[in-house]
Amino acid sequence: MSITIFSQGRNTSRWENALKERRPGLDVHVYPDTGPAEEVEFALAWNHPPGAFANFPNLKCISSTGAGVDHILRDPELPQGIQITRIVDENLTQDMATFVTAQVLNHVRGLHRYKEAQRSHTWKQHSYKRTADVVIGVMGMGVLGMHTAQQLNKLGFKVHGWSRTPKLLEGVGTFAGTEELTTFLGKADILICLLPLTSQTANILNKDTLGKLPKGAYVINVARGEHLVDEDLIELLDQGHLSGASLDVFREEPLPEEHPFWEHPLIHVTPHIASITNPASAVSQILENYDRMRHGEDLINVVSKTKGY
Ligand code: NDP
Ligand code: OXD
């Protein structure tokens, strides 16, 4: 009985502890210290070294330690026939909605301006829009997007969602497919990206799409850095078409020291912390899939390799 963790750039000890605490007696290995290659059947992965999975002839399932699986599917040497699963967890969902709401409210109420004013002891009130007068567009109406949209709607914002297939959601307007993208974008005072990274969604936040947002729109990207064309965002901010952006994810993470986003006055950078998987709560679904795999049963939270999410 063993689970093997494949990860670069993230501390694995919380996962090791959570697995061992919940299932005493389970062997937990951390790549490259895997033990005999033929005994590796179940992997837990985040940003694994490319090609690493190719060396394990009996590997049956790779579970992402996060909601996204682009980091697994992008491996050109990913063995065929392996099931890929991902995390769907209430804590992860709530934390994303909370983070996005904080960014939205910070922007709508202009809180950063008062921090700056405080530095110069300046007492100056600014007008603000009420939530009912702000339209929010959520790209990606999956587990995270749907909940975030509903939370924002509860605060009084007008919310629209955009997804691949049509949705019906109380209180939230919905748009689907490329044919409805322009209409969706044209309404969004604040655009939130919660799409998975796939060949269809890469570079989707570009000069053309962001240019279709109303003048003064604000962009929040909490999905993946590769969704955004960095130079196009900067150009639209500098032209005054967009009023600002909150970015939690980047093409290269950590964001390189010399990247212009760090210094841009209209960009708020956070280090991929919008919602972090909590191993203590997510470990039960990992173990459930591990047991299902061993008993030959269907797995939960399975990713479609054809769709890429
Ligand atoms: P889901 O798979 O549940 O939802 C994906 C949504 O995107 C679905 O509504 C889907 O449409 C839609 N979608 C996919 N492809 C397209 C397309 N081509 N055009 C229009 N809509 C599309 O994902 P989650 O909500 O669980 O997670 C979303 C992403 O959030 C993750 O992939 C990850 O990258 C990111 N994330 C970021 C975190 C952070 O801390 N910054 C933390 C966790 C996740 P349909 O419903 O029709 O299938
Ligand atoms: C995830 C992430 O996909 O942390 O869960 O980005």
Side-chain angles (χ1 to χ4, degrees), residues 10 46 64-71 92 222-224 249 272 275-277:
R10 278 196 184 177
W46 185 267
S64 171
T65 61
V69 290
D70 46 291
H71 55 104
L92 194 70
V222 278
R224 287 291 182 263
V249 286
H272 201 143
S275 184
I276 299 175
T277 310

Side-chain angles (χ1 to χ4, degrees), residues 250 254-265 267 269-271:
F250 304 92
L255 183 63
E257 170 66 34
E258 66 289 353
H259 197 288
F261 285 167
W262 283 116
E263 295 292 333
H264 200 290
I267 293 179
V269 169
T270 50

Side-chain angles (χ1 to χ4, degrees), residues 67-68 86 96 140-145 162-165 167 194-196 200-201 222-224 248-249 272 274-275 309:
R86 71 192 196 98
M96 180 57 82
M141 288 293 279
V143 175
L144 304 181
W162 180 72
S163 47
R164 205 174 47 82
T165 55
K167 303 273 175 289
L194 266 170
L195 289 164
Q200 262 103 59
T201 65
V222 278
R224 287 291 182 263
D248 184 57
V249 286
H272 201 143
S275 184
Y309 66 96

Side-chain angles (χ1 to χ4, degrees), residues 2 4 15 39 47 62 71 92 94 117 141 157 159 163 175 190 192 224 270:
S2 79
T4 306
W15 278 105
E39 285 177 21
N47 199 18
I62 303 170
H71 55 104
L92 194 70
Q94 278 175 8
M141 288 293 279
F157 290 103
V159 185
S163 47
F175 295 84
I190 299 177
I192 297 163
R224 287 291 182 263
T270 50

Side-chain angles (χ1 to χ4, degrees), residues 7 29 39 51-52 59 121 156 171 199 214 220 223 239 272 287 290 304:
S7 179
H29 296 283
E39 285 177 21
L59 186 60
H121 301 200
S199 54
I220 299 177
Q239 283 170 358
H272 201 143
L287 290 170
Y290 175 69
S304 155

